[in-house]
């Protein structure tokens, strides 16, 4: 037998390594600027996950290097290792610790998602049409105002984006809003965002969708409600017929509800 493991020392080394790794990793600005009410919560969730991951990594490293050092074969030792079978305490520990971590991470993520998707009073609904390799948008109000390649939304008002993919799967991502949502042909998916900073951002397709995927972007303008109303009123076109058709064919939403529910 090799004797008992120095568990207290290994734990202390794990905690120290976790603290050092977390300090380095948390000092890096991974997320960039935040511009929606979800941003702070998503960033906090990421920070918690970084600390948890640092802990798991540290635990594995401490045990690995302890084993490398402690059980190293002596020079000239050609014998086989000792046959070992089963270790109840170890098996309980390596089942219990990951279970607790995964359940906590799942529960905490659920809580954050619930909070950031909490329906607000008087949301506005915007239809998003994605196709290889362009974005276009339909706004509520009479005439179903329509814009191509440029999305405008009012600041400090919850927006329900209804996504309608026309060909393959695309994905709607505005990094500053921290929100990503797949656009799937045949169904309508919804992303809920409350932009809280006036400015110009970029909508990026974040699902590899074909040759032109990397250039599938659109300008995003978050502006005051009056500027937004004026912009929508000045839009020349209405939603083209094929897109209206796709609204009707998509499942999981009522087209009547997806258009004009919010009112500009
Ligand atoms: Cu795409």
């Amino acid at each position: 037998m090799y004797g008992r493991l120095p568990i207290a020392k290994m734990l202390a080394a794990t905690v120290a390594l976790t603290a050092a790794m977390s300090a380095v990793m948390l000092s890096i600005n991974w997320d960039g600027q935040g511009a929606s009410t979800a941003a702070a919560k998503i960033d906090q969730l990421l920070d918690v996950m970084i600390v948890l991951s640092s802990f798991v990594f540290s635990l594995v490293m401490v045990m690995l290097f302890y084993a490398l050092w402690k059980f190293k074969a002596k020079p000239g030792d050609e014998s086989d290792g000792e046959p070992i079978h089963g270790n109840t305490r170890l098996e309980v520990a390596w089942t219990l610790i990951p279970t607790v971590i995964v359940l906590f991470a799942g529960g905490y993520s659920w809580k954050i998602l619930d909070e950031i998707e909490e329906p607000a009073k008087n949301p506005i609904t915007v239809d998003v049409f994605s196709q290889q390799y362009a974005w276009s948008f339909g706004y509520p109000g009479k005439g179903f105002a329509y814009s191509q390649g440029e999305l405008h939304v009012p600041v400090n008002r919850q927006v329900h984006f209804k996504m309608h993919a026309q060909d393959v799967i695309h994905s709607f991502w505005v990094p500053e809003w921290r929100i990503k949502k797949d656009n799937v042909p045949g169904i309508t998916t919804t992303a809920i965002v409350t932009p809280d900073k006036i400015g110009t951002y970029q909508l990026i397709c974040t699902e590899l969708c074909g040759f032109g995927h990397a250039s599938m972007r659109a300008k995003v303008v978050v502006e005051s409600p009056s500027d937004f109303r004026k912009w929508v009123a000045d839009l020349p076109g209405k939603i083209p017929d094929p897109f209206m058709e796709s609204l009707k064919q998509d499942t999981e939403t009522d087209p009547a509800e997806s258009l004009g529910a919010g009112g500009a």
Side-chain angles (χ1 to χ4, degrees), residues 130-135 167-171 204-210 212-213 216:
S130 46
Q131 64 191 129
Q132 291 167 322
Y133 302 95
W135 298 97
D167 36 37
V168 299
I169 300 176
H170 302 278
S171 193
I204 299 169
C205 180
T206 181
E207 181 72 66
L208 184 56
C209 59
H213 164 69
M216 187 170 165

Side-chain angles (χ1 to χ4, degrees), residues 20-262:
M21 275 202 62
S22 300
V24 173
M25 299 296 276
L26 293 178
S27 73
I28 297 167
N29 179 12
W30 299 104
D31 316 299
Q33 192 205 350
S36 81
T37 53
K41 286 170 181 168
I42 297 275
D43 295 354
Q44 190 188 34
L45 177 67
L46 183 68
D47 286 349
V48 171
M49 295 302 165
I50 284 173
V51 173
L52 280 178
S53 311
S54 301
F55 170 73
V56 172
F57 179 80
S58 303
L59 187 64
V60 170
M61 286 301 123
V62 166
M63 292 186 3
L64 173 66
F65 280 94
Y66 175 78
L68 283 176
W69 164 76
K70 176 80 178 172
F71 306 121
K72 191 176 187 310
K74 305 252 169 342
D77 179 3
E78 299 286 324
S79 64
D80 287 341
E82 195 181 326
I84 297 169
H85 180 262
N87 183 322
T88 308
R89 274 203 317 165
L90 193 60
E91 286 161 22
V92 168
W94 80 40
T95 305
L96 216 59
I97 294 172
T99 304
V100 169
I101 290 175
V102 168
L103 286 179
F104 169 79
Y108 184 47
S109 306
W110 188 334
K111 180 178 169 288
I112 296 284
L113 187 65
D114 219 41
E115 283 172 16
I116 65 177
E117 293 200 328
E118 173 90 29
K121 260 186 253 157
N122 195 24
I124 181 176
T125 301
V126 174
D127 285 290
V128 175
F129 303 98
S130 46
Q131 64 191 129
Q132 291 167 322
Y133 302 95
W135 298 97
S136 43
F137 311 94
Y139 303 88
K142 62 173 189 248
F144 303 139
Y146 171 75
S147 69
Q148 271 177 303
E150 190 167 329
L151 165 69
H152 284 230
V153 290
V155 71
N156 292 328
R157 182 162 170 198
Q158 193 174 69
V159 190
H160 293 197
F161 290 104
K162 299 280 179 182
M163 318 273 180
H164 314 281
Q166 304 299 305
D167 36 37
V168 299
I169 300 176
H170 302 278
S171 193
F172 179 97
W173 181 40
V174 179
E176 291 82 359
W177 292 349
R178 305 287 190 271
I179 297 294
K180 264 184 191 177
K181 197 72 167 196
D182 274 6
N183 299 199
V184 184
I187 66 170
T188 300
T189 52
T190 304
I192 298 177
V193 187
T194 308
D196 64 358
K197 276 196 189 75
I198 287 178
T200 303
Y201 309 96
Q202 201 169 38
L203 163 60
I204 299 169
C205 180
T206 181
E207 181 72 66
L208 184 56
C209 59
F211 193 71
H213 164 69
S215 62
M216 187 170 165
R217 295 177 178 217
K219 187 178 167 188
V220 177
V221 177
V222 178
E223 58 197 356
S224 69
S226 57
D227 285 352
F228 172 71
R229 267 195 301 276
K230 190 175 172 312
W231 188 79
V232 170
D234 288 348
L235 282 173
K238 60 192 227 68
I239 298 174
D241 290 342
F243 287 171
M244 289 302 281
E245 212 44 47
S246 81
L247 283 184
K248 293 192 195 104
Q249 282 164 4
D250 280 1
T251 56
E252 291 192 9
T253 190
D254 175 7
E257 182 234 27
S258 85
L259 281 169

